[in-house]
Amino acid sequence: MIKTKLTIWIKKWLCNNVVYYSDKPYNLVLNAQQQFTLQLTEGEQKNTPLLQIVGRKHYIEHSEQYPVTNKKELASIIKMNNQSADNELHSHNAYIINSQGSDQSKVTYWRFLPLPAAWLNLPETLLLSNTLTADQVISARAFAAMYVTKHQQSVYSALASPLINSPERFASMFGVPCKRIINIEEPTHYAQALIAGLKQQSIKQLVTFFTPPTSVINKALIKKTSLIVVALCALYGGLTSAYLGYKTHKVQTQLAQNKSSVNQALNTLEQFEATNEQLNVLQGFTQNQRLASSLFFVLQQLVTSAELTNIRFEDNRYIIRGTANKATDALQIIINNPRTNNAKFDYPSRKERRGESFVISFTLNTLQDQSIPQMPNTKSEAK
């Protein structure tokens, strides 16, 4: 409810303080759907408008690039450039520094022809370009046929002519891409596009378009304008403070919610560091140990297919007894192991209820385990 009333108040304030001038002045009004549209002004304007959006016919627009990044030097160049222009034909000049960096500065100039009095004169192409993204071109025919685009932070525009009679030709003339064309033909859509661009306009850039009409300066108007400026600043400050307060509360709430997760992560990290330290100690211990016997590597493969009942070591041979589904399979496993030599049956296998019993003997091939690191013999080295 409050938001709706505030929106309607802002729209009415814009209608009372914003006009559009293209050969003739047009008032900004609301239609039956509470949408902005432009309506021809009947008779003379009683009050000097706060903001006047100027049509493309009434100013000259061009961009320049300078190999200067120092603000003082750039300001001097811009001042000389404005003084060198034919000021007799223009009521005032304005410019915007589009970008600075890489030893280059881009400046867009507007030289306005004589206009009706207004406190701020904004070129319509600047506002329309604020609504564009890369590779978009506006083809407007609501009042004057023209084309507008934005490329590398600079505004490019031109009135339609026999030479520039399509958006594609306009884009190719300035060397900018044209992948999407936005057609605006109705005054309602045109007014909405201008207001959308006005919302995107930087407040800092408005200073260069400020042109106080000398014929209407009086105390009452200055007081009225000051009250409006103070009200806007107070509204902006209040909204900013409310937004910052909301963001602060939101961040604090998120921190409180994530506190348990952070504590759990820290506990997990501590457990990992303790476990990793134990692992390093065990690895350091096992790396310096010698293998006691290779027999376990032989039995590891055998126990998956046979059941062992006895293991003996006689006459430098290992003798194992057990049962398997097939005694020959058990023998083959031992023969295939590279750690064994001379594997054979000591007695013929016998069939039993659980399978076939066997007695197999073999010797170990210790050469397979010589790659295992051993502790150096410090005594022999000392000798």
Side-chain angles (χ1 to χ4, degrees):
M1 185 69 178
I2 297 177
K3 182 178 180 181
T4 303
K5 291 184 177 180
L6 180 61
T7 302
I8 295 175
W9 182 85
I10 293 175
K11 287 184 177 181
K12 290 182 178 179
W13 184 88
L14 289 174
C15 291
N16 294 329
N17 293 276
V18 178
V19 297
Y20 173 73
Y21 182 80
S22 180
D23 294 337
K24 297 180 180 180
Y26 293 82
N27 288 331
L28 190 68
V29 297
L30 296 175
N31 58 16
Q33 291 76 29
Q34 296 298 309
Q35 295 177 336
F36 289 111
T37 187
L38 293 172
Q39 187 177 47
L40 182 63
T41 304
E42 297 180 359
E44 296 183 358
Q45 288 183 339
K46 297 180 180 180
N47 299 322
T48 302
L50 176 65
L51 175 61
Q52 181 171 247
I53 302 174
V54 183
R56 183 64 178 84
K57 295 180 180 180
H58 303 282
Y59 60 84
I60 299 172
E61 177 185 272
H62 74 283
S63 297
E64 296 287 347
Q65 189 166 345
Y66 303 104
V68 178
T69 56
N70 184 275
K71 291 184 178 180
K72 292 184 179 180
E73 295 179 1
L74 188 60
S76 300
I77 295 175
I78 293 173
K79 185 177 180 180
M80 293 174 59
N81 195 354
N82 288 333
Q83 289 177 351
S84 63
D86 188 4
N87 292 326
E88 295 181 357
L89 299 177
H90 306 104
S91 60
H92 63 280
N93 302 322
Y95 67 90
I96 288 179
I97 301 175
N98 300 306
S99 65
Q100 288 183 332
S102 302
D103 299 330
Q104 295 290 331
S105 298
K106 292 183 179 180
V107 182
T108 302
Y109 293 93
W110 290 274
R111 294 189 173 92
F112 294 90
L113 299 175
L115 298 169
W119 292 93
L120 288 170
N121 288 297
L122 287 178
E124 62 178 348
T125 51
L126 173 63
L127 300 182
L128 293 175
S129 67
N130 289 339
T131 65
L132 296 176
T133 59
D135 307 331
Q136 291 183 341
V137 175
I138 288 180
S139 176
R141 298 184 180 276
F143 294 93
M146 65 174 180
Y147 308 101
V148 183
T149 188
K150 187 175 185 179
H151 184 63
Q152 294 180 351
Q153 302 183 18
S154 296
V155 182
Y156 296 92
S157 65
L159 293 170
S161 64
L163 180 63
I164 308 175
N165 54 12
S166 68
E168 292 79 9
R169 183 168 292 183
F170 161 76
S172 62
M173 178 178 177
F174 288 98
V176 298
C178 177
K179 295 184 179 179
R180 182 185 175 190
I181 300 173
I182 301 175
N183 294 302
I184 304 177
E185 297 181 357
E186 298 181 1
T188 300
H189 294 164
Y190 195 70
Q192 294 172 6
L194 291 175
I195 295 301
L198 181 61
K199 292 179 181 178
Q200 300 294 328
Q201 181 60 42
S202 171
I203 298 178
K204 294 181 180 179
Q205 295 178 352
L206 294 178
V207 178
T208 188
F209 298 100
F210 182 69
T211 54
T214 56
S215 60
V216 297
I217 294 179
N218 54 67
K219 294 182 178 180
L221 189 57
I222 292 176
K223 184 178 180 180
K224 179 181 177 180
T225 305
S226 301
L227 290 176
I228 293 174
V229 173
V230 171
L232 289 176
C233 292
L235 178 62
Y236 177 77
L239 292 176
T240 303
S241 300
Y243 176 75
L244 292 177
Y246 166 74
K247 293 295 291 184
T248 302
H249 176 71
K250 185 177 180 180
V251 171
Q252 290 176 349
T253 304
Q254 291 178 348
L255 287 175
Q257 293 176 351
N258 295 334
K259 185 176 181 180
S260 59
S261 300
V262 172
N263 292 335
Q264 184 178 0
L266 292 175
N267 293 333
T268 304
L269 179 61
E270 292 179 359
Q271 294 176 2
F272 169 76
E273 292 178 348
T275 306
N276 187 52
E277 185 177 357
Q278 293 177 359
L279 177 62
N280 293 334
V281 173
L282 292 176
Q283 287 180 341
F285 173 77
T286 55
Q287 287 177 356
N288 297 325
Q289 305 304 311
R290 297 182 60 184
L291 184 64
S293 175
S294 301
L295 177 62
F296 296 103
F297 293 103
V298 179
L299 298 180
Q300 181 183 9
Q301 299 177 355
L302 185 60
V303 293
T304 58
S305 59
E307 182 178 350
L308 305 182
T309 58
N310 186 272
I311 302 174
R312 301 198 318 273
F313 183 72
E314 295 180 0
D315 298 331
N316 294 325
R317 291 179 67 85
Y318 288 94
I319 303 171
I320 59 175
R321 294 178 181 269
T323 58
N325 291 333
K326 289 186 179 181
T328 54
D329 291 344
L331 178 62
Q332 190 63 39
I333 291 174
I334 297 176
I335 292 174
N336 292 339
N337 196 307
R339 289 184 166 84
T340 63
N341 285 328
N342 302 322
K344 64 177 182 176
F345 285 117
D346 287 356
Y347 301 97
S349 60
R350 293 182 300 175
K351 290 186 177 181
E352 297 180 354
R353 287 186 302 173
R354 294 179 297 176
E356 295 180 358
S357 63
F358 59 84
V359 178
I360 301 174
S361 65
F362 57 88
T363 60
L364 288 177
N365 177 15
T366 58
L367 296 176
Q368 294 294 329
D369 303 305
Q370 288 184 356
S371 61
I372 299 177
Q374 298 181 2
M375 291 292 292
N377 191 344
T378 55
K379 293 183 180 181
S380 61
E381 289 180 355
K383 294 179 179 180

